[in-house]
Amino acid sequence: MTYVFDTSPFSALIRNFYRGRFPSLWDRFDELVANGKIISTREVRRELEHGGFKEQQRWLGLQADLFAAPTAAEGRFVRRIFEVEHFQANIELRKLLKGGYNADPFVIARAAVVGGVVVTLERSRPNSVGIPDICEHFEIRSTNLEGFMEREGWTF
């Protein structure tokens, strides 16, 4: 199983599960990263770099291969997402006007191309344009951080 992580679960892990207090969690997490079972996108890295604190920045510096640039196939899938008029609202106006980052379509596209599961803390809501809603539309599996740990059979 390949997991494509959105920004929010990375932030939650780094902020809430300190390496010194949860070493077995991080050992398992790092193993999945090393084996290519946890992947992400360059756009997620950019979001993490701009919203991060010292520990997050240090962790990012150690992740050379985790945040790959989008492939041509992923770019084509991002286009498919925005061909659905309702999903065009996924790009917030302020991000367009101020040059902000929007990793969501790239996370979804990577999962679609690799056959992976999106891991996000976003929740599905009626008429929403968030990650779970777009995933559902395109029949891409998604879960939250706890669901990821359940899929991996982790207990601590």
Side-chain angles (χ1 to χ4, degrees):
M1 180 71 55
T2 301
Y3 302 97
V4 183
F5 269 57
D6 181 30
T7 306
S8 55
F10 281 130
S11 291
L13 280 168
I14 295 166
R15 287 189 172 147
N16 301 317
F17 297 96
Y18 308 110
R19 280 190 177 271
R21 292 280 162 225
F22 300 94
S24 59
L25 181 148
W26 282 102
D27 288 345
R28 291 178 184 183
F29 189 84
D30 291 342
E31 182 179 339
L32 291 176
V33 170
N35 292 333
K37 300 293 185 182
I38 293 175
I39 59 176
S40 195
T41 69
R42 175 186 64 196
E43 287 68 21
V44 165
R45 181 184 187 99
R46 289 177 176 164
E47 287 184 354
L48 289 168
E49 286 172 341
H50 282 67
F53 54 98
K54 188 176 180 179
E55 178 63 23
Q56 188 166 300
Q57 297 304 322
R58 190 179 68 72
W59 180 80
L60 281 171
L62 302 173
Q63 307 304 321
D65 299 324
L66 179 57
F67 302 97
T71 66
E74 291 166 13
R76 288 189 295 274
F77 198 88
V78 167
R79 182 174 151 210
R80 282 185 59 203
I81 292 169
F82 290 116
E83 285 174 348
V84 178
E85 187 174 345
H86 178 67
F87 295 146
Q88 292 172 14
N90 182 269
I91 299 179
E92 299 168 31
L93 183 58
R94 66 180 168 79
K95 287 181 180 176
L96 285 174
L97 296 175
K98 295 183 179 181
Y101 301 105
N102 186 10
D104 295 5
F106 296 96
V107 169
I108 296 163
R110 174 137 310 149
V113 169
V114 303
V117 176
V118 172
V119 180
T120 184
L121 297 186
E122 292 182 17
R123 293 186 178 121
S124 182
R125 295 182 312 267
N127 301 315
S128 179
V129 294
I131 290 175
D133 308 292
I134 298 171
C135 285
E136 182 179 342
H137 177 84
F138 288 102
E139 299 180 351
I140 299 166
R141 295 169 293 176
S142 68
T143 190
N144 58 22
L145 193 53
E146 184 175 359
F148 154 73
M149 291 181 189
E150 286 175 2
R151 286 173 182 260
E152 286 300 305
W154 291 2
T155 57
F156 300 98

